[in-house]
Amino acid sequence: MTSQCKMKVYEMRQNGVVSTTAKGLKCNYVLHVAGDHFGNDWKKVVLTCLREADELGDARSIALPVLGTGSGHVNPQEISEIMVHAFAEFEPQASNLTDVRVVVFQKSMFLTVSSQMKESVKSLNQQSTIRTPKTGVRGIVSEGPWSASAGSGSIQFGNITVQMKQGDITKEDTDCIVNSTNMELDLKKGAVSSAIRKACGKDMESQCAKKVDDMRQHGVISTTSRGLKCKYVLHVAGHHFGNDWKKVVLSCLEEAEKLRDAQSVAFPLLGTGIGNIQPEDIAKLMSQAFAEFGPQAVNISDVRVVVFQEAMLKPFAAMVKHSAGTGGIPQEQSIITRGTTSTGRVDLFFFSDQSDNIANGIRNLEALCKEEWITETSQDQVITKLTDHQIDSLHKRFDVELRVDRDKGAIELTGLRGEVGHATGKVIQYLRDIEKEESETEKATLLSRTIQWAYFEKDSPSDKKDFGKKENAAIEKAFTDNKKLCKVPFMKTKIEIDFSSLEGTAAKKTYNVMRRDLLQEAKQSIFDLPPSWQNMADEVNIECFPVAAGGEEFKTVEQRFMSTINNSKAKVLKVTRIQNRSLYQQYAAKRKQLEKQNPQGTQNEAWLWHGTSTDAIGSINAHGFNRSYCGKNATYYGQGVYFAVNAKYSARDAYSRPDAQGQKYLYLVRVLTGVYTLGDPKMRVAPSKTGSTGTELYDSVVNDINNPVMYVVFNDTQAYPDYLVTFQP
């Protein structure tokens, strides 16, 4: 900022206002204005700022302070009226600026300013000479955070409605209530546990005694609740999850979802007792859990947070409402900046008998620096999930300046070309690791709804306990791969399962294990690869196989190509099948998600075309379609990855550049188009669905709603490159 301002001093003296970029702030620009340049004519000051903002081209909103009320000693009522008159007079030339905010810092001044502005707006709108279609003023005055309503209320997170209220959780009539307890299920400890024990008596104690092993394994168990208004009690031990309260809430919601006949859950204000967590902090974490679980909820639709102490309700509810409005992830800074790790400076001295030589030398050096000093920007929604630790690791390992904007899903790296290149590679690795972890978790969750492995002691076959989701997925994978043995984590040790005897051994104790087909599905699981694929070794993730010319598979691909290439001379020379195990499984998991969330009958998947050049083939085969490279050819309908209905479009030289032999390349791609809407060049992610709360997005965007020939997706797991077609145009 200091550097920009130094460069603009002359412009400031000339015009009285300058704009700078605002790295480090949530806004894009700062407008610096000098009131004395305008003789403290505050109407001119406001108008000049509005015009400057409008001329920026991409600015649609501006925030102004209550100008002149500090060292200018202007009366708040007077400046309020002046500002409203300036707003009425302002006519946008570029038609960009639509949102103007006046931000009042002092609470004591707010009522004066807001009431005067309301009066001024009312007065202006009664004057027909001023209130024309162009310049009519509409005033919306909203109060600041000091008067935000905070109390009982409800907020929608995906498929669940969250209510907040004051009361005693043991008196709630929801299907489930949550009891924060210990790993040993000792209900004598804790006020809520003691109340539950007193109400439910020996029946509750008996159930808990039988489920201690299960509690140690999973950290959460359910019991029936005879004696209470609810049907079930979910007992959860925060210690099992390392007091990660977001995980605690998610685990409770997932446990409730399994109960099938449960539709509502009541939570206490977790962690605020002996955990000493502030209500605002637990509100952030619980909101994140609600936002993550909400879109996937099937059975659970009603969640209540019951606050025992009335004084805690207001700060908790206010933060939940704030979190809902910011995507449920307010616990981390939205914008993070880190400078280079290098320090110090180098002084260069130029000597010559002619000043022209010195000027040329400086220009050449600056040109070299400009060439080697670059900025790379990557956009990916997964960037929103980069942890502070990963960002700090990047900063320590590479000598680059970095700026992460979590709100926009963008990371900007600045430095020497080589360092930026290495750092960008590491960023891509982090993003793929996050996607892989999310994909594996999603696949494990989907699998647990169809196949569930369980264990029980030999003398207690009726007391079956389910393995955790990740353990369940690992066991199922080993079983379907015809392995004889399988080891998975189990009660702080490992259990070795023998599939021939269906027995498991852990800590010298033997258990029986069983496989339950929850939906009576015979053999198919989400791990199955396409039947047309050739066999690959277990340790191999990717192989490319030529498809035999003349076979049915080759003819099918060739027919798809020839039917839309609109060039009778074009000839398919070769078809290559791409077999990428991890990429396909991520795609399959995403397809399952769309099939579940979209209305029945939606055509979620389509075969589309994508042109490429030889230098990109290796990367696409290995990593799929990376939307970080969007804009290389065009972004008419959004900043994502483009796929065409017709091969003719993708075969253009702009998208499929011919190689030295004149051959060109197209991918035949499976794309999850799902529910789509009209695209826009400025879209970085798909917009929220019409009528949704903002958390449910369209799956793709198109060039034409009624007859789409171009689809754009913003999630890298929504497209799988099935075949690479080599052809002669």
Side-chain angles (χ1 to χ4, degrees):
M1 179 62 76
T2 304
S3 174
Q4 290 184 75
C5 287
K6 283 181 180 178
M7 294 172 64
K8 295 205 173 188
V9 170
Y10 178 78
E11 186 181 340
M12 186 67 161
R13 290 172 180 164
Q14 288 288 107
N15 304 323
V17 62
V18 298
S19 63
T20 62
T21 55
K23 190 180 293 185
L25 297 175
K26 290 184 177 179
C27 57
N28 292 327
Y29 302 98
V30 176
L31 302 183
H32 308 266
V33 64
D36 55 358
H37 178 87
F38 302 92
N40 290 330
D41 181 336
W42 295 107
K43 183 178 176 183
K44 277 189 180 179
V45 171
V46 175
L47 280 167
T48 303
C49 290
L50 294 171
R51 288 164 184 157
E52 181 76 9
D54 193 50
E55 288 171 5
L56 287 171
D58 59 343
R60 298 186 180 277
S61 55
I62 182 173
L64 294 153
V66 186
L67 294 162
T69 53
S71 59
H73 303 294
V74 180
N75 183 287
Q77 284 182 302
E78 183 184 345
I79 192 64
S80 300
E81 186 172 1
I82 290 171
M83 293 179 81
V84 170
H85 277 267
F87 301 153
E89 190 172 316
F90 172 65
E91 295 184 31
Q93 299 302 309
S95 300
N96 291 315
L97 205 58
T98 57
D99 176 14
V100 178
R101 305 175 196 177
V102 179
V103 184
V104 186
F105 183 71
Q106 292 175 291
K107 179 181 177 181
S108 59
M109 194 186 290
F110 177 77
L111 290 175
T112 303
V113 172
S114 61
S115 60
Q116 182 59 54
M117 284 195 166
K118 286 177 182 176
E119 283 300 314
S120 299
V121 169
K122 184 178 178 181
S123 174
L124 280 175
N125 284 337
Q126 288 172 350
Q127 300 175 38
S128 59
T129 55
I130 294 177
R131 192 173 184 252
T132 65
K134 264 191 173 182
T135 61
V137 183
R138 182 170 62 94
I140 302 177
V141 181
S142 59
E143 297 184 350
W146 50 79
S147 60
S149 61
S152 61
S154 63
I155 298 174
Q156 195 74 24
F157 287 87
N159 299 327
I160 62 173
T161 302
V162 177
Q163 297 177 306
M164 296 155 283
K165 59 180 290 190
Q166 191 271 328
D168 180 351
I169 195 167
T170 62
K171 304 291 194 296
E172 286 299 307
D173 59 358
T174 48
D175 295 324
C176 310
I177 66 169
V178 174
N179 174 37
S180 181
T181 185
N182 50 74
M183 298 284 283
E184 305 305 317
L185 286 171
D186 183 355
L187 300 186
K188 296 175 184 177
K189 298 178 180 178
V192 175
S193 292
S194 297
I196 291 171
R197 175 174 170 266
K198 183 178 179 180
C200 299
K202 290 185 179 180
D203 179 60
M204 179 63 74
E205 290 182 342
S206 175
Q207 291 184 73
C208 287
K210 291 178 181 179
K211 294 200 172 188
V212 171
D213 283 349
D214 211 11
M215 187 68 161
R216 291 171 181 165
Q217 171 77 354
H218 304 298
V220 60
I221 58 109
S222 63
T223 61
T224 55
S225 54
R226 188 182 301 171
L228 296 173
K229 291 182 179 180
C230 59
K231 294 179 184 177
Y232 303 98
V233 177
L234 304 179
H235 305 269
V236 65
H239 180 69
H240 177 86
F241 302 94
N243 290 329
D244 182 336
W245 295 104
K246 178 184 172 184
K247 280 187 180 178
V248 171
V249 175
L250 279 170
S251 298
C252 290
L253 291 168
E254 288 163 0
E255 184 72 14
E257 186 81 9
K258 290 180 187 175
L259 294 172
R260 306 294 180 187
D261 62 336
Q263 296 180 328
S264 55
V265 187
F267 284 88
L269 211 55
L270 294 164
T272 53
I274 58 174
N276 291 321
I277 298 178
Q278 294 300 311
E280 296 90 338
D281 295 331
I282 195 64
K284 295 176 188 177
L285 297 171
M286 293 182 81
S287 297
Q288 292 165 38
F290 298 152
E292 188 171 320
F293 175 79
Q296 304 171 22
V298 176
N299 299 316
I300 300 300
S301 59
D302 175 18
V303 175
R304 301 178 202 173
V305 182
V306 183
V307 184
F308 186 71
Q309 293 176 288
E310 190 173 357
M312 285 189 177
L313 178 60
K314 187 172 181 177
F316 176 84
M319 182 52 72
V320 171
K321 289 177 180 178
H322 170 73
S323 301
T326 55
I329 48 171
Q331 84 287 2
E332 295 176 312
Q333 288 176 275
S334 60
I335 296 180
I336 297 175
T337 57
R338 299 283 189 273
T340 60
T341 52
S342 298
T343 57
R345 55 181 283 176
V346 175
D347 293 315
L348 300 176
F349 298 89
F350 292 77
F351 297 92
S352 176
D353 57 348
Q354 294 187 29
S355 59
D356 286 350
N357 292 342
I358 292 177
N360 287 334
I362 292 172
R363 275 197 297 272
N364 290 338
L365 181 62
E366 287 176 342
L368 179 63
C369 289
K370 188 175 181 181
E371 182 180 341
E372 288 300 314
W373 192 263
I374 65 168
T375 296
E376 284 282 347
T377 301
S378 299
Q379 286 190 307
D380 193 313
Q381 276 305 103
V382 186
I383 288 172
T384 62
K385 297 170 185 175
L386 279 177
T387 65
D388 288 346
H389 175 74
Q390 288 172 320
I391 293 167
D392 289 336
S393 174
L394 276 174
H395 181 238
K396 289 174 184 175
R397 183 169 176 180
F398 303 103
D399 188 17
V400 294
E401 295 177 6
L402 62 87
R403 182 177 188 267
V404 179
D405 188 333
R406 284 198 175 105
D407 288 342
K408 296 179 180 177
I411 185 167
E412 185 181 273
L413 302 169
T414 301
L416 290 173
R417 188 178 298 275
E419 284 290 301
V420 169
H422 292 311
T424 301
K426 191 66 177 176
V427 168
I428 291 173
Q429 181 188 324
Y430 279 153
L431 301 185
R432 298 294 81 84
D433 287 346
I434 291 170
E435 284 186 335
K436 184 179 179 183
E437 173 68 22
E438 288 184 340
S439 174
E440 288 177 353
T441 301
E442 186 176 17
K443 286 188 288 187
T445 301
L446 289 169
L447 178 66
S448 69
R449 293 172 182 170
T450 57
I451 303 295
Q452 181 63 61
W453 285 84
Y455 64 93
F456 57 91
E457 295 183 23
K458 290 196 171 185
D459 57 348
S460 304
S462 61
D463 191 18
K464 295 185 288 291
K465 300 177 178 69
D466 292 340
F467 284 97
K469 292 176 183 176
K470 288 186 177 180
E471 292 80 9
N472 182 64
I475 297 169
E476 177 67 10
K477 180 73 165 60
F479 178 77
T480 55
D481 286 349
N482 295 318
K483 303 286 187 184
K484 293 181 179 178
L485 301 171
C486 173
K487 275 189 178 181
V488 295
F490 182 80
M491 295 185 191
K492 297 186 178 180
T493 180
K494 288 197 172 184
I495 185 170
E496 183 174 66
I497 297 170
D498 185 333
F499 290 116
S500 60
S501 63
L502 285 179
E503 291 183 337
T505 306
K508 299 181 180 179
K509 189 173 181 178
T510 302
Y511 299 85
N512 287 108
V513 296
M514 64 179 294
R515 182 177 185 267
R516 296 161 54 207
D517 190 337
L518 302 181
L519 297 179
Q520 307 301 314
E521 294 179 356
K523 296 179 180 179
Q524 192 168 359
S525 79
I526 61 173
F527 292 107
D528 287 345
L529 300 173
S532 61
W533 280 21
Q534 292 174 237
N535 290 331
M536 299 191 297
D538 286 346
E539 65 275 9
V540 175
N541 182 58
I542 176 173
E543 276 192 77
C544 298
F545 294 93
V547 177
E552 285 302 314
E553 188 177 9
F554 186 95
K555 288 179 180 177
T556 299
V557 175
E558 183 180 39
Q559 192 276 330
R560 285 184 182 274
F561 174 81
M562 294 304 297
S563 64
T564 61
I565 191 64
N566 199 22
N567 178 5
S568 59
K569 295 180 180 179
K571 182 180 180 182
V572 175
L573 304 175
K574 182 181 178 183
V575 175
T576 304
R577 187 193 316 113
I578 316 302
Q579 297 187 186
N580 187 319
R581 196 191 307 269
S582 61
L583 201 63
Y584 180 80
Q585 288 178 345
Q586 289 178 34
Y587 173 83
K590 188 68 177 177
R591 181 172 56 196
K592 286 274 187 183
Q593 179 189 335
L594 263 62
E595 288 170 353
K596 176 187 169 186
Q597 74 183 26
N598 288 340
Q600 194 169 5
T602 302
Q603 184 181 334
N604 291 307
E605 190 175 50
W607 287 97
L608 302 172
W609 296 96
H610 184 90
T612 189
S613 54
T614 52
D615 57 351
I617 289 172
S619 175
I620 293 174
N621 290 351
H623 307 295
F625 301 97
N626 188 343
R627 65 191 181 285
S628 295
Y629 298 113
C630 75
K632 186 176 180 182
N633 295 315
T635 57
Y636 299 124
Y637 307 109
Q639 299 175 31
V641 184
Y642 283 62
F643 300 94
V645 171
N646 299 315
K648 176 187 176 183
Y649 185 90
S650 298
R652 294 178 182 178
D653 287 350
Y655 313 120
S656 174
R657 292 198 304 273
D659 62 14
Q661 288 75 44
Q663 297 175 3
K664 303 181 80 173
Y665 304 88
L666 291 187
Y667 278 102
L668 180 56
V669 187
R670 264 188 273 200
V671 183
L672 297 173
T673 54
V675 180
Y676 52 79
T677 189
L678 189 65
D680 182 273
K682 294 180 181 178
M683 287 180 180
R684 293 187 175 124
V685 296
S688 300
K689 287 184 179 177
T690 304
S692 77
T693 59
T695 57
E696 192 177 350
L697 306 181
Y698 282 100
D699 304 312
S700 63
V701 300
V702 296
N703 66 312
D704 185 330
I705 288 289
N706 298 316
N707 185 30
V709 295
M710 186 69 61
Y711 290 83
V712 186
V713 298
F714 301 89
N715 188 313
D716 295 345
T717 61
Q718 276 183 242
Y720 181 79
D722 272 274
Y723 298 99
L724 177 66
V725 177
T726 306
F727 69 100
Q728 194 75 42

